[in-house]
Amino acid sequence: MNVAVIGGGAAGLMAAYAASHGNRVTLFEKNEKLGKKIYITGKGRCNVTNDCSFDEFMKNVVSNPKFMISALRSFAPSDLMELISSNGVPLKTERGNRVFPYSDKASDITACFEKLLRRNGVEILLNTEVRGLLFDEGRVLGLKTVDRELFFDKIIVCTGGVSYPLTGSTGDGYRFAESAGHTVIKPVPALVGINLTGNDFAELQGLTLKNVKINVFNGEKKVYSDFGEMLFTHFGVSGPVILSASSYINRYDVKGMKLYVDLKPALEPDALDARLLRDFAENKNRNFSHALFDLLPRALVPVVIGRTGINPVKKVNEISVKERKTLLNVLKNLDFEIDSLRPVSEGIITAGGDSVKEINPKTMESKLAKGLYFAGEVIDVDALTGGFNLHVAFATGRAAGVTE
């Protein structure tokens, strides 16, 4: 069988490798090198997968987890780890079961796959852009490059989404899918920062809050809750819990949503009130602005006081019970209004893409065009950080590449 793989990222590399057993395979990559997006994953270290159970993995798939059942059953994180480590790249597992190359070099992962492809006779065409696909009577026949038409028995589209466009992810796969009659779910940013309205968040720029709880509300409905670390930036907020939140709210109209931050989630309101009373007793003759330094990061104190409406130079021993209760509420529910998500070009991944309803979940073959397959981020599947998205790419790539 003559197989074409379009895109040399994680999904494409795996698809080409899986297809290379007994077939003639050509890999088309429009960049000057393979794995360009792999190089920036995990801050250049490449969080290649997550060494967790099937059930735990599924909990981290945000969009269309059921679609991934077959591919993940067929190619688990342990299978990927075995493939990579047995081909000369030692791996290590860090906090949260995140798996990295022992060298901390993403380039080692790309080099490993390139070696496998060349060893199996895959023809790799760099700097070669595919412009479109050729069809006839419900079957894909081939593809068009800038200067020629080429014919194949099987074509696997692994062109990524639209995040990080400088890596080559410019939405080509959506165009290919639509040319085959597929429905493309509107691409939206996932794992991205959140823009806030107002201006007091700007006073907190650069501040990291650890061990906080966030809740996101759309009107009266809570749409997301999480515990962990967040960061204030010039545009609003980012950091692990915020990135995860973005993947769960990106299908809503987020403008006007509320983000609530519980600054002391380990303390129930009564326990926190008792802590305030102790701090107030120790600072009873000082200004209110000095009474919270043991409780909060200094940069946060003016913002919290501003939200209470209490005069910052008021003496602590003059603060009323009602004012203390107001402070307590601010500490447990520091709220910000969401304006928008950061642009999709900044998303770690893209949510949306080729509808899973039109793809066979076992083989990744199109249900609309015989011989056409999809894998990786071009499909409407996305997951949280921690190696899950890369493994989705590898697992769907393998499913698409294997010849039945």
Side-chain angles (χ1 to χ4, degrees):
M1 186 181 290
N2 198 7
V3 180
V5 177
I6 308 173
L13 291 171
M14 179 60 80
Y17 173 65
S20 66
H21 297 82
N23 300 304
R24 179 185 174 190
V25 180
T26 305
L27 174 60
F28 295 83
E29 170 53 57
K30 68 180 180 180
N31 288 313
E32 74 286 357
K33 63 182 179 181
L34 297 172
K36 206 162 184 180
K37 194 170 182 181
I38 291 176
Y39 282 95
I40 62 174
T41 60
K43 298 179 180 178
R45 299 171 60 217
C46 189
N47 183 184
V48 71
T49 189
N50 192 287
D51 189 16
C52 64
S53 67
F54 174 83
D55 289 342
E56 186 62 27
F57 197 109
M58 290 296 286
K59 290 177 185 176
N60 285 273
V61 181
V62 178
S63 302
N64 300 309
K66 289 183 179 179
F67 177 82
M68 288 302 303
I69 291 175
S70 179
L72 288 174
R73 290 284 191 200
S74 300
F75 196 66
S78 58
D79 297 320
L80 177 63
M81 293 167 67
E82 170 63 22
L83 175 64
I84 293 171
S85 60
S86 65
N87 282 281
V89 181
L91 300 172
K92 59 181 177 179
T93 303
E94 298 186 356
R95 178 179 56 85
N97 298 317
R98 291 168 162 84
V99 179
F100 296 87
Y102 193 81
S103 64
D104 284 332
K105 293 180 179 178
S107 56
D108 285 357
I109 301 298
T110 305
C112 172
F113 276 95
E114 185 170 358
K115 180 182 73 174
L116 288 172
L117 299 191
R118 295 195 184 281
R119 188 176 71 194
N120 285 13
V122 174
E123 182 180 9
I124 299 172
L125 301 179
L126 301 176
N127 297 304
T128 306
E129 182 178 355
V130 174
R131 294 290 180 88
L133 304 180
L134 304 172
F135 299 93
D136 183 52
E137 296 184 352
R139 180 176 188 88
V140 69
L141 296 180
L143 55 80
K144 295 179 286 187
T145 64
V146 176
D147 56 0
R148 55 182 172 158
E149 294 183 349
L150 299 167
F151 297 91
F152 295 91
D153 304 302
K154 176 176 180 175
I155 293 179
I156 309 173
V157 177
C158 307
T159 50
V162 287
S163 60
Y164 291 102
L166 291 178
T167 65
S169 298
T170 53
D172 295 342
Y174 305 146
R175 187 164 45 81
F176 299 156
E178 288 175 333
S179 71
H182 278 250
T183 303
V184 173
I185 308 302
K186 181 183 176 182
V188 291
L191 300 177
V192 72
I194 296 177
N195 295 315
L196 299 177
T197 59
N199 51 30
D200 57 1
F201 69 84
E203 299 175 40
L204 303 173
Q205 183 177 340
L207 175 66
T208 295
L209 297 179
K210 297 182 178 180
N211 302 319
V212 296
K213 181 180 180 181
I214 68 163
N215 291 301
V216 182
F217 277 79
N218 184 21
E220 299 296 314
K221 181 184 178 182
K222 183 192 293 186
V223 293
Y224 189 71
S225 182
D226 201 359
F227 175 89
E229 183 177 317
M230 62 180 286
L231 167 71
F232 287 94
T233 71
H234 66 286
F235 57 77
V237 283
S238 188
V241 295
I242 299 298
L243 297 181
S244 295
S246 73
S247 289
Y248 282 92
I249 68 175
N250 56 13
R251 309 292 175 119
Y252 294 92
D253 177 3
V254 301
K255 192 172 185 64
M257 280 188 178
K258 282 295 188 75
L259 167 68
Y260 293 91
V261 183
D262 183 346
L263 298 169
K264 296 295 174 182
L267 296 176
E268 293 298 323
D270 288 347
L272 181 56
D273 194 32
R275 166 68 190 272
L276 289 175
L277 285 170
R278 290 196 301 272
D279 286 357
F280 281 11
E282 293 173 3
N283 295 276
K284 60 184 178 181
N285 295 317
R286 304 186 73 184
N287 291 343
F288 178 45
S289 60
H290 291 86
L292 302 179
F293 288 157
D294 290 338
L295 187 67
L296 300 171
R298 291 205 168 213
L300 194 55
V301 171
V303 171
V304 167
I305 290 178
R307 295 296 187 90
T308 66
I310 302 171
N311 189 335
V313 298
K314 188 173 186 176
K315 297 301 180 184
V316 172
N317 59 15
E318 297 175 355
I319 291 176
S320 67
V321 173
K322 182 179 180 181
E323 288 174 324
R324 193 179 78 247
K325 295 299 183 183
T326 299
L327 170 62
L328 180 65
N329 183 62
V330 171
L331 293 172
K332 298 295 285 184
N333 296 283
L334 184 62
D335 68 299
F336 299 92
E337 184 173 306
I338 295 175
D339 177 73
S340 58
L341 300 182
R342 297 297 290 171
V344 68
S345 60
E346 293 182 17
I348 293 176
I349 55 162
T350 308
D354 197 358
S355 172
V356 298
K357 295 178 181 178
E358 297 160 356
I359 301 172
N360 183 322
K362 292 184 178 180
T363 64
M364 302 296 146
E365 185 174 17
S366 165
K367 294 179 179 179
L368 306 180
K370 193 72 177 170
L372 178 62
Y373 296 72
F374 297 91
E377 201 175 337
V378 71
I379 301 173
D380 183 22
V381 176
D382 61 279
L384 299 180
T385 57
F388 300 102
N389 285 294
L390 259 184
H391 192 85
V392 165
F394 285 124
T396 54
R398 180 186 177 276
V402 170
T403 303
E404 295 180 319

